[in-house]
Amino acid sequence: MAETVVQTDHERGAAPAPPPRGRRGRRTVLVASALVVVAAVAVVGALGLGGGGAEEGSSAPPRSGSTVPVTRTTLTERTTVDGQLGYGTEIPLPVKATGTVTWLPAEGTTVERGGTLLRVDDRPVVLLYGTLPMYRELGLTAGTQQGTRQETGTEGDAQDSGDQSRTDETSGAPDPSGSPTPGGAGAGGTGGTLRGMDVLQFESDLAALGYTGFTVDEEFTDLTARAVKRWQKSLGLPQTGTVGIGDVVYSAGKVRIGHASVRLGSPATDDVLTYTGTSRKVVVNASAAEDSWAVRGAAVTIGLPDGKSVKGEVASVGKSATAPEEGGGEGGSAAPTVPVTITIKDQKSVGRLESAPVTVEYVGRERADVLTVPVAALVALAEGGHGLETADGRFVAVKTGLFADGRVEVSGSAVREGMNVRIPE
């Protein structure tokens, strides 16, 4: 008996029969019409033309993205440059002692008033504080010594000595011709007494070291000489009462020893030792064309290698620009620079660092009491320029000013403090 196979129209490859033109066809038309209506509503909503119960004239629902208020503040532009932490430029000590160097301090040693800087012919060269250099020997003149002898004799002896001194060329008194004697000229004052600001400077140091018993003034008297002898005894020196030109070196304060240019056994020279101050500071080689920030007293922020920040202050600005080394900068066209020295008041804030590369942040420009928004809120307008998008979808044109700290100064007739603007995603 043969098996009968029944195939459907789909299996035979025949096209399906068209649907009846009744109720089913009307349903298809309705679905298509609904899709058109939804699309039209979406377009109207995006254009802000729909009502939907919203207030008259309102825009479309806001797009995604956060809103921020326009704020009034002071906008400050900050710039960062590279600097070097250290003790400053080393300069030679004005050593005037002559002879053989027999002792030198270690580099980095701090020497205070009364301390020994080095030894020449086994004699100490002592640091004192002052601004005048040691330019002459300090001690009693021949006339002063004669006067001292008169004070220790009888009244008659004093009178005789006084009469004799008028004819003695070493007394410092005028000779019969009326010309000053060598003693008077070398004394630096009248009556054979050594006078001057250098005497006052030395006596101030001597008193500060605890050697007193004299009046701190501009006269080197016998009482001064007696204090000098006590000081010399403490240093292990012959007690002459006279201070030689190479016995002391003056500086503005305590010093930090730099490097020595000679070895032990070498002759002492003017640049035998270098020194710096004892406070750490920062030196910036600032572009001579962009150094308007470098004004004495200007506050800056110093960034240390460990990420910490300390406060600094501009102390000095070089007056001579230095050309860059050949081949320096991009294309060998680096701008000339001037050295800017920055002091650090709180030395403890630097820690133990003695030398390190640092950054220096300074205030470039500043705009006070201006309207600002985040830079990300700016949008480019089709007609050119910049604008802001309000929370309700409107765009208002603005004029931009200073950019700083991720914000920008804005102004315009439609911009007011407190209005919300959108930051596009």
Side-chain angles (χ1 to χ4, degrees):
M1 182 174 175
E3 183 177 355
T4 304
V5 178
V6 180
Q7 291 184 321
T8 64
D9 291 339
H10 178 72
E11 291 173 329
R12 287 196 300 267
R21 300 186 57 85
R23 195 160 147 194
R24 192 181 221 179
R26 287 196 299 273
R27 184 180 302 169
T28 303
V29 172
L30 289 174
V31 171
S33 300
L35 291 174
V36 172
V37 172
V38 170
V41 171
V43 171
V44 171
L47 295 176
L49 301 176
E55 295 180 3
E56 185 178 353
S58 64
S59 298
R63 298 194 305 274
S64 61
S66 60
T67 60
V68 293
V70 176
T71 59
R72 186 177 296 278
T73 186
T74 296
L75 205 57
T76 303
E77 178 188 63
R78 301 181 184 276
T79 304
T80 300
V81 294
D82 294 330
Q84 181 65 39
L85 175 71
Y87 289 92
T89 304
E90 294 184 3
I91 57 178
L93 276 167
V95 176
K96 298 184 180 297
T98 58
T100 302
V101 177
T102 54
W103 179 82
L104 288 169
E107 186 173 349
T109 301
T110 298
V111 182
E112 300 183 359
R113 174 162 44 196
T116 299
L117 293 166
L118 72 160
R119 296 181 77 91
V120 178
D121 288 347
D122 206 28
R123 291 173 58 94
V125 178
V126 180
L127 176 70
L128 297 180
Y129 295 169
T131 56
L132 279 174
M134 188 72 173
Y135 65 92
R136 62 175 176 174
E137 183 180 90
L138 300 179
L140 295 173
T141 66
T144 306
Q145 293 170 349
Q146 178 71 19
T148 302
R149 288 194 295 271
Q150 291 174 7
E151 291 175 3
T152 58
T154 61
E155 182 177 355
D157 292 337
Q159 181 65 38
D160 292 340
S161 299
D163 294 339
Q164 181 65 28
S165 67
R166 283 193 293 272
T167 61
D168 188 356
E169 290 187 352
T170 62
S171 66
D175 64 12
S177 66
S179 301
T181 65
T190 60
T193 302
L194 194 67
R195 292 185 175 88
M197 291 301 296
D198 58 334
V199 175
L200 175 62
Q201 178 175 272
F202 174 76
E203 288 187 341
S204 298
D205 277 297
L206 201 59
L209 291 172
Y211 300 95
T212 57
F214 58 91
T215 302
V216 178
D217 54 19
E218 297 182 17
E219 295 187 7
F220 195 105
T221 65
D222 179 59
L223 295 177
T224 307
R226 293 178 185 179
V228 170
K229 290 179 180 180
R230 297 195 301 272
W231 175 56
Q232 290 173 328
K233 182 179 180 180
S234 70
L235 296 173
L237 294 172
Q239 300 171 45
T240 63
T242 299
V243 185
I245 192 172
D247 290 344
V248 302
V249 170
Y250 286 103
S251 77
K254 57 185 179 180
V255 301
R256 182 179 185 273
I257 300 298
H259 71 276
S261 61
V262 301
R263 296 181 178 181
L264 295 181
S266 302
T269 60
D270 292 342
D271 58 351
V272 59
L273 274 179
T274 61
Y275 77 100
T276 64
T278 57
S279 297
R280 286 158 294 181
K281 59 192 70 176
V282 173
V283 176
V284 173
N285 290 321
S287 170
E290 301 175 358
D291 65 347
S292 58
W293 63 272
V295 180
R296 187 174 181 179
V300 299
T301 301
I302 301 167
L304 301 178
D306 59 3
K308 295 181 180 179
S309 297
V310 298
K311 295 180 179 179
E313 183 178 294
V314 175
S316 64
V317 182
K319 296 183 179 179
S320 299
T322 302
E325 296 182 2
E326 188 175 352
E330 295 183 4
S333 58
T337 61
V338 293
V340 178
T341 302
I342 299 169
T343 56
I344 303 171
K345 186 176 182 180
D346 184 8
Q347 289 287 301
K348 292 182 179 179
S349 64
V350 187
R352 297 182 178 180
L353 281 176
E354 293 189 352
S355 178
V358 296
T359 59
V360 175
E361 183 183 78
Y362 63 87
V363 174
R365 292 181 296 165
E366 191 172 80
R367 295 279 292 163
D369 195 31
V370 293
L371 297 177
T372 69
V373 296
V375 175
L378 287 179
V379 294
L381 299 180
E383 61 270 25
H386 294 93
L388 299 173
E389 182 184 2
T390 63
D392 57 9
R394 293 180 297 108
F395 289 91
V396 294
V398 295
K399 181 181 179 181
T400 60
L402 180 64
F403 288 76
D405 296 329
R407 300 186 70 83
V408 58
E409 173 190 357
V410 293
S411 58
S413 58
V415 183
R416 67 182 186 278
E417 182 180 0
M419 68 180 292
N420 288 324
V421 295
R422 187 169 305 285
I423 297 181
E425 286 188 345

